[in-house]
Amino acid sequence: MNKTGLQLQQVTIRFGGLTAVSQVSAEIHPGELAGLIGPNGAGKTTVFNLITGVYAPTEGNITFGGAPLAGLKPFEITSRGIARTFQNIRLFGSLSVFDNVRVAFHLHLKQGVFPSLARGPSFHREERQLAEQTRQLLDIFQLDRVRDEPAKSLPYGDQRRLEIVRALATQPQLLLLDEPAAGMNPAEKVELMKLIQFIQDRYKLAILLVEHDMKVVMGICQRIHVLEYGRKIAEGTPSEVRENPAVISAYLGQQPDAAPVQS
Amino acid sequence: MTELLQQVINGLSMGAIYALIALGYTMVYGVLRFINFAHSDVFMLGAFVAYYTARAFGRWGFVMGGYLGGIAILLLSMTACAVVGIVIERLAYRPLRRRSTLTVLITAIGVSLLLQNGGQLVFGVNPKAFPDIFPSSTLNLGGLVINSNQLVVLGVAIALLSALHWIVQHTRIGTAMRAVSFNATAASLVGIDTNRIISFTFGMGSALAGAGGVLYAMNYPSIEPLMGNSPGLKAFIAAVLGGIGSLPGAALGGMLLGFVETGVSGTRWSTFRDAIAFAILIGILLFRPAGLLGRNRVEKV
Amino acid sequence: MPSWLNRSQLLLMATLAVVGIAQSLSGRLDSYILSVAMGVGINIILASSLNLINGFTGQFSLGHAGFMAVGAYTAAVLTGRLAPQWSPLFGGQVFLLFPAALIVGGIVAALAGALVGAPSLRLKGDYLAIVTLGFGEIIKVIFQNLEFVGGAKGLNGIPDYSNLLWVFGTAAITVYTVWALLNSSYGRGFLAVADDEIAAEAMGLNTTRYKMVAFVVGAFFAGIAGGLFAHLNNSINPSGFDFNKSIEIVVMVILGGMGRHIGVILAAILLTVLTEMLREFGDYRMVIYSVLLILLMLTRPQGLFIWPTRKAARRQNA
């Protein structure tokens, strides 16, 4: 694991006239469980999209492990050790649960077109290894029993979990979770919090969590970054953030004349 | 100078026809998100309806050669095509409303093949000479040769484009069309009868294609059942070039393509005409993936 | 432990052996039946290779006939016009010269596939469809203007080298290639790209590369099919490889059920035989064909042959 983790320096992105994220700086340390919160439309998902290379920042730098991520394609950023889930689940719906995870191991795969065609001993060895790794991972997260189901036929909670497992299969050092608790009931949320802590514990990776639900974030995050209207307004431990007047007014006391936010 | 003006006039009248056909592609794409391959064959039907009506008019002793007669034939053709378009949508496309775009696309190809081959059976394979349905004369303005038909083409096209613009922008049904095109589900939620709007769109698009067919036949005075293929493809390119789903885009794309084609025709590259049209399309799409006037749909992540 | 994977290779060998035997007996077969059978084989190659692009990788291409043309012309020029220079390299032996010509045709078509793929793969759905259609037409127009290969009249007098062995041997290899490519951890990536490109990219898959591989491999086999076609028909001309030919192949893939190996093969067989059978209806042939096509789409839009295992229809770009 590298020592420097993820750094955002003065990151700004504008879409036409709209500044979605403005001058945001933040650091996610290796092994840290951090939260990114803010009211609707504060730019949280946009920050994820900037980190993972879906959008390129208009200004500012993003580095991971000391190396700049500028100009890298999303798949290259994933290969540097950053994996993500999506706010609106994006599984490979027609693929089986097993294949969803197996495909994500792809990064660490040696084979390609020609080994697939020739199917020599080393191909079979690698396939067996991969199947075993996939099976283990599914087993840990209790998805082994549905391994042959198409992903889209799973219940909602399992789909969320599968998406996290799939991201883990890329063997990341930093895992970005985009509103994993969305649409869950309180009991499921408690399960999810346990799951996230379990992952951090077991795989020793950093996690950045975008979340609406304050209970979830306050309950598990070590450090929280707060966005409002694309700007960072606070950073600190859960208790610090809870007492921060700017955060309180952002969440509770929005001025009546405040401009409507973009959705 | 005269040469250039000549090219401009030729380009304009060619472009106007492409624009009329392209509008139908783009309108249907707007409401149903699929490429109606049968559109170019409705264009062909327009020409044939005009052909047979003109012959019938002649036999019944109606006054031929007057502008009124021409307009009557044009309107009849457009009406017939509108009916055909609506029937095609009703029978072949509506049952597939919830299916993938691809299924509808293949069905459209089937309908196109049916119209072409059915046309060959009914109308015969051999080209037919298209009669002068409007009074035809050639004007010579200081070396500039203008066929009166070209002026008719331009006049009719401008009239139809204005009418379309008015319908889409200033009538209730036009507003509903725009709503369906923007978001069909939301439109049906606010009480718009989307099926009726789709029928109406097909009717209008097909009427425009019919008009295009008649105008095309006037300038290239022979018609045959496969005549829709090449102009259909060009108009389709025009629609994508302008930004499929955008009405001004289709008009602009059509005009642009008309100019390019007449521009190339006189040169030694004339045999590459179709390839050049596609090359321009590809070039533009690479830099503006949504076409010249199309909205770029950014997928939400 | 002989796994099911090795069985597939055995199956390929067995098929090749059967084809070899069939070829040795083909002298006794009616020549009409023989040529229809070869037409079937060529269409299996075309449909299976397009299935990799359209069905499995979800990239809607309408330019397959263009790649076929490139392969057909290249191979025909090699066995015809350039034969005097080439032939001695193979000791004048057709069984060496012909496959070499086919493979070169396939390689040139694959290059064309890369050329088309590189710029177009940034586009999606209908836009990709129209651009591939455009490239197909451009290829056709280029051949129409190449006097070297007969211009619009095309090439005649191409030797009839195609036989059951070459045609069905290639068909078996094509089917095996597409199948083997898909049935590996690497190959599941093609399906992932078709399902959700953004998610695939986020999981570290180089989606552009996958699409490129699909286009290049698909074009390669289309090129070989073109070469076989040229040496079956003895003459080719540019308009034989137009948009309608591409559509014909797309229809096979769709009726076969998009992304099903066996379904697409069956559809290729069925449609080829059907077109032949409709010949006796003369002028009504294409009318019947189009009506059937419409009815099939209305009643079985998910494809003709449904297997219980993969009920999931491939998600289409809306």
Side-chain angles (χ1 to χ4, degrees):
Chain A
M1 180 95 201
N2 56 66
K3 288 207 184 68
T4 43
L6 179 80
Q7 278 188 318
L8 277 74
Q9 293 153 348
Q10 306 281 310
V11 174
T12 298
I13 183 166
R14 279 185 282 272
F15 298 107
L18 179 84
T19 307
V21 170
S22 171
Q23 304 278 317
V24 169
S25 296
E27 187 166 357
I28 313 297
H29 302 286
E32 179 184 46
L33 207 174
L36 180 61
I37 63 170
N40 243 333
K44 305 180 296 283
T45 297
T46 309
V47 168
F48 267 26
N49 286 337
L50 284 164
I51 298 172
T52 51
V54 176
Y55 305 140
T58 319
E59 288 158 28
N61 293 310
I62 304 175
T63 61
F64 185 62
L69 299 181
L72 294 184
K73 298 216 177 84
F75 78 90
E76 291 167 324
I77 289 177
T78 310
S79 74
R80 299 286 173 96
I82 301 179
R84 73 175 291 180
T85 65
F86 295 88
Q87 193 173 345
N88 44 342
I89 306 175
R90 302 188 82 122
L91 288 167
F92 305 124
S94 68
L95 264 63
S96 68
V97 168
F98 185 78
D99 278 344
N100 263 274
V101 176
R102 184 157 74 125
V103 155
F105 274 112
H106 171 274
L107 267 180
H108 307 279
L109 204 62
K110 285 181 215 76
Q111 53 161 285
V113 176
F114 291 104
S116 298
L117 297 182
R119 299 191 171 243
S122 70
F123 168 85
H124 287 292
R125 205 178 314 119
E126 196 173 31
E127 290 287 274
R128 272 197 301 276
Q129 246 170 37
L130 218 59
E132 180 53 26
Q133 279 176 309
T134 305
R135 200 196 55 73
Q136 279 176 7
L137 203 55
L138 287 176
D139 206 31
I140 295 172
F141 294 92
Q142 286 116 47
L143 285 165
D144 208 32
R145 69 201 145 76
V146 288
R147 52 175 282 168
D148 294 322
E149 305 286 325
K152 68 172 170 226
S153 71
L154 294 189
Y156 184 79
D158 283 355
Q159 290 199 14
R160 281 261 174 234
R161 201 141 38 98
L162 175 58
E163 215 194 9
I164 297 174
V165 175
R166 187 182 64 174
L168 282 177
T170 67
Q171 301 168 25
Q173 294 157 6
L174 170 64
L175 178 62
L176 308 175
L177 301 177
D178 199 347
E179 299 210 15
M184 287 187 170
N185 64 34
E188 287 171 331
K189 282 179 185 171
V190 172
E191 280 298 306
L192 179 78
M193 285 162 70
K194 282 189 200 147
L195 181 78
I196 293 174
Q197 279 175 319
F198 167 76
I199 291 170
Q200 195 211 9
D201 238 40
R202 180 172 175 130
Y203 298 97
K204 307 285 178 238
L205 40 72
I207 295 177
L208 177 60
L209 181 68
V210 159
E211 196 40 75
H212 243 82
D213 191 296
M214 289 311 240
K215 274 205 204 86
V216 174
V217 184
M218 295 294 174
I220 57 175
C221 292
Q222 291 142 4
R223 198 160 190 83
I224 295 174
H225 305 260
V226 190
L227 287 182
E228 189 192 18
Y229 298 130
R231 290 178 179 282
K232 186 159 150 183
I233 56 168
E235 177 189 337
T237 62
S239 55
E240 283 166 8
V241 164
R242 209 182 324 227
E243 325 254 279
N244 187 313
V247 178
I248 295 171
S249 85
Y251 268 88
L252 303 169
Q254 291 188 14
Q255 283 86 14
D257 60 347
V261 281
Q262 93 280 6
S263 63
Chain B
M1 187 60 203
T2 328
E3 171 106 10
L4 188 72
L5 259 176
Q6 183 77 56
Q7 293 284 28
V8 168
I9 288 168
N10 293 348
L12 269 177
S13 60
M14 194 68 244
I17 294 172
Y18 287 154
L20 285 177
I21 317 172
L23 282 166
Y25 278 116
T26 239
M27 281 160 67
V28 167
Y29 191 90
V31 293
L32 281 183
R33 300 275 179 274
F34 91 99
I35 300 160
N36 180 16
F37 266 95
H39 192 61
S40 58
D41 305 297
V42 174
F43 160 92
M44 173 273 289
L45 283 181
F48 271 95
V49 171
Y51 171 82
Y52 285 108
T53 325
R55 288 215 331 194
F57 273 21
R59 210 175 303 137
W60 297 334
F62 278 15
V63 193
M64 270 299 295
Y67 279 95
L68 226 53
I71 290 172
I73 291 174
L74 187 69
L75 288 177
L76 254 166
S77 240
M78 289 173 65
T79 315
C81 287
V83 172
V84 171
I86 291 170
V87 169
I88 291 175
E89 192 276 326
R90 194 61 244 266
L91 294 183
Y93 304 154
R94 189 170 297 178
L96 296 170
R97 201 53 52 82
R98 295 187 168 278
R99 297 291 182 178
S100 81
T101 334
L102 214 59
T103 312
V104 195
L105 188 78
I106 297 301
T107 312
I109 289 167
V111 173
S112 167
L113 286 176
L114 179 62
L115 291 178
Q116 287 180 13
N117 294 291
Q120 288 188 327
L121 275 183
V122 177
F123 308 135
V125 187
N126 296 327
K128 292 183 174 10
F130 195 77
D132 280 332
I133 58 172
F134 283 97
S136 173
S137 57
T138 308
L139 308 166
N140 196 325
L141 304 173
L144 194 66
V145 183
I146 302 174
N147 189 308
S148 64
N149 275 347
Q150 287 182 314
L151 297 178
V152 172
V153 166
L154 272 180
V156 170
I158 290 170
L160 289 176
L161 291 182
S162 318
L164 178 72
H165 180 79
W166 183 78
I167 291 175
V168 171
Q169 295 297 333
H170 299 286
T171 64
R172 239 181 114 77
I173 197 152
T175 312
M177 253 179 81
R178 281 183 289 146
V180 172
S181 163
F182 190 75
N183 186 336
T185 321
S188 71
L189 285 178
V190 297
I192 293 173
D193 180 353
T194 46
N195 273 335
R196 202 171 67 93
I197 300 302
I198 289 169
S199 282
F200 180 75
T201 308
F202 263 88
M204 275 214 307
S206 304
L208 292 178
V214 178
L215 299 179
Y216 187 85
M218 281 165 49
N219 274 7
Y220 294 80
S222 87
I223 59 175
E224 48 100 14
L226 303 184
M227 66 182 273
N229 280 342
S230 168
L233 207 56
K234 299 296 173 36
F236 176 36
I237 295 179
V240 180
L241 192 69
I244 197 151
S246 152
L247 297 181
L252 175 72
M255 284 298 175
L256 212 65
L257 213 64
F259 278 116
V260 169
E261 251 196 52
T262 42
V264 171
S265 284
T267 71
R268 65 192 188 87
W269 294 100
S270 62
T271 47
F272 282 93
R273 213 173 50 191
D274 294 9
I276 290 170
F278 270 113
I280 290 174
L281 171 77
I282 293 166
I284 286 184
L285 282 187
L286 292 179
F287 292 102
R288 284 195 60 89
L292 289 174
L293 300 181
R295 268 174 303 152
N296 211 343
R297 280 169 196 272
V298 176
E299 191 172 0
K300 207 162 186 260
V301 181
Chain C
M1 176 188 80
S3 71
W4 52 288
L5 297 172
N6 294 335
R7 276 221 304 272
S8 70
Q9 279 163 333
L10 275 177
L11 193 65
L12 175 66
M13 300 300 165
T15 313
L16 291 178
V18 169
V19 170
I21 296 166
Q23 172 58 31
S24 64
L25 298 174
S26 65
R28 302 183 192 175
L29 282 176
D30 179 57
S31 70
Y32 172 70
I33 301 218
L34 209 57
S35 82
V36 172
M38 284 193 260
V40 166
I42 290 171
N43 279 338
I44 290 176
I45 303 171
L46 289 168
S48 290
S49 58
L50 184 65
N51 197 18
L52 175 64
I53 305 173
N54 282 19
F56 292 112
T57 320
Q59 305 300 307
F60 193 38
S61 163
L62 280 176
H64 221 49
F67 302 137
M68 190 187 170
V70 172
Y73 273 96
T74 309
V77 166
L78 286 176
T79 57
R81 192 146 315 182
L82 297 183
Q85 288 96 311
W86 262 68
S87 200
L89 279 177
F90 301 96
Q93 298 293 320
V94 168
F95 73 94
L96 293 174
L97 173 71
F98 184 43
L102 287 178
I103 288 171
V104 175
I107 290 172
V108 179
L111 290 176
L115 213 66
V116 173
S120 0
L121 292 181
R122 294 172 44 199
L123 301 167
K124 290 187 195 346
D126 296 315
Y127 286 93
L128 178 65
I130 178 70
V131 165
T132 49
L133 191 165
F135 272 116
E137 291 293 302
I138 290 175
I139 291 174
K140 184 188 92 182
V141 172
I142 290 175
F143 281 120
Q144 273 170 348
N145 285 281
L146 277 183
E147 284 313 315
F148 173 65
V149 290
K153 287 198 301 291
L155 282 175
N156 291 311
I158 303 166
D160 50 355
Y161 291 158
S162 285
N163 61 27
L164 283 180
L165 180 65
W166 295 129
V167 170
F168 281 92
T170 312
I173 291 170
T174 311
V175 172
Y176 172 80
T177 302
V178 176
W179 179 89
L181 212 50
L182 266 299
N183 281 280
S184 67
S185 300
Y186 165 79
R188 291 286 134 175
F190 292 100
L191 301 175
V193 171
D195 262 10
D196 191 328
E197 224 174 282
I198 288 173
E201 188 91 359
M203 291 309 117
L205 272 67
N206 185 345
T207 54
T208 315
R209 175 103 165 265
Y210 268 104
K211 291 192 263 182
M212 198 67 175
V213 169
F215 258 92
V216 168
V217 174
F220 174 76
F221 285 108
I224 293 193
L228 290 164
F229 174 83
H231 293 83
L232 171 65
N233 274 27
N234 311 122
S235 75
I236 48 175
N237 66 67
S239 55
F241 303 104
D242 65 356
F243 163 64
N244 287 323
K245 182 70 193 173
S246 292
I247 290 291
E248 209 177 282
I249 311 167
V250 170
V251 168
M252 289 173 194
V253 172
I254 290 178
L255 284 187
M258 294 284 286
R260 285 158 212 273
H261 298 278
I262 307 288
V264 166
I265 295 172
L266 292 179
I269 298 172
L270 184 79
L271 282 174
T272 320
V273 173
L274 184 75
T275 339
E276 280 307 319
M277 277 170 26
L278 288 177
R279 267 190 211 289
E280 62 178 286
F281 293 97
D283 292 343
Y284 290 88
R285 181 176 79 104
M286 284 307 289
V287 175
I288 298 173
Y289 177 84
S290 49
V291 171
L292 279 178
L293 184 61
I294 297 169
L295 289 180
L296 280 174
M297 281 290 115
L298 289 175
T299 52
R300 308 239 33 172
Q302 67 280 65
L304 284 176
F305 319 98
I306 311 305
W307 311 113
T309 41
R310 276 182 62 92
K311 0 180 233 263
R314 301 235 65 79
R315 194 177 65 97
Q316 281 315 305
N317 261 328

